[in-house]
Amino acid sequence: MIRFPRFLLIPLMGGALALGGLSACETTKRGFPEMSSPNNDPEGLSRRQLEATSKQVAVVVDEKVRYLVPKDELAAAFTRQFADGTSINKTIIRKVQETPKDKAIYYLVGLGLRDGMFRSMALPLKSSTDKSLYLSSNAPRYIITSVGCTFCFFNFERNEIVGSSCEENSGGSRCDLTVEENNSFFARR
């Protein structure tokens, strides 16, 4: 029987392991997936910033609004935003455009009742170049509380809400408009 001295056996085993390990390695060249460098496209940058600070609620396709957040979820968020017992039973997204030359502004509107009196809230939506509609947490809230009116309207000037009016002009009926600076419409998780 041939005996190898132990000091020779250890380097031989290490060499065999290294050769065995090399044969198991893949020899084809693979690179990292290419990532495009951030471009300086102002539209893409503004859309990414909008997505970071807002929640997309809808998209406009062929001049029609397609909701991405279900209407019942929007109604529940309006009810939570009022936080005074107002129950919202209808939500809509309304396009406001004074003239065809003006940029259209979209408002998310909730309609409901509190103690049998009409209540409404409108939140302006921001639109991106791909016609997505976003609600920002720093968007103002326009709130209507009726006194004796069965229905109140928001009044617009240059696509902005400037007041409210009562559906019928009976004595003593009015619609009170208040404006709050921000909203907590979508609860943070």
Side-chain angles (χ1 to χ4, degrees), residues 31-51:
F32 291 101
E34 288 186 26
M35 293 182 64
S36 61
S37 62
N39 58 17
N40 293 330
D41 174 28
E43 291 175 1
L45 179 62
S46 67
R47 188 174 62 246
R48 286 189 301 276
Q49 288 173 337
L50 194 58
E51 290 170 351

Side-chain angles (χ1 to χ4, degrees), residues 117 145-150 152 165-176:
M117 302 299 281
T145 303
S146 79
V147 177
C149 289
T150 56
C152 298
S165 57
C166 188
E167 181 178 41
E168 71 276 345
N169 288 331
S170 59
S173 298
R174 68 179 195 274
C175 298
D176 298 331

Side-chain angles (χ1 to χ4, degrees), residues 57-170:
V57 293
V59 64
V60 179
V61 179
D62 297 328
E63 297 300 314
K64 293 184 181 182
V65 174
R66 185 172 56 103
Y67 290 81
L68 299 177
V69 177
K71 286 186 174 187
D72 59 339
E73 190 177 317
L74 294 173
F78 270 115
T79 298
R80 188 176 52 252
Q81 182 66 71
F82 270 111
D84 63 0
T86 299
S87 176
I88 297 299
N89 56 15
K90 182 171 183 167
T91 59
I92 58 171
I93 294 178
R94 180 172 180 214
K95 176 182 175 182
V96 178
Q97 189 173 17
E98 192 169 331
T99 68
K101 293 178 187 177
D102 294 334
K103 180 183 176 191
I105 303 288
Y106 291 86
Y107 288 89
L108 176 60
V109 181
L111 308 169
L113 298 171
R114 182 183 85 196
D115 298 329
M117 302 299 281
F118 178 81
R119 295 291 306 269
S120 181
M121 183 185 297
L123 302 156
L125 300 174
K126 293 184 178 183
S127 58
S128 66
T129 54
D130 66 353
K131 298 189 177 184
S132 294
L133 301 175
Y134 295 89
L135 176 60
S136 173
S137 61
N138 64 0
R141 290 180 284 156
Y142 297 89
I143 304 164
I144 292 179
T145 303
S146 79
V147 177
C149 289
T150 56
F151 193 83
C152 298
F153 297 97
F154 289 101
N155 296 336
F156 296 89
E157 189 175 295
R158 294 188 200 112
N159 299 344
E160 297 290 326
I161 296 174
V162 294
S164 60
S165 57
C166 188
E167 181 178 41
E168 71 276 345
N169 288 331
S170 59

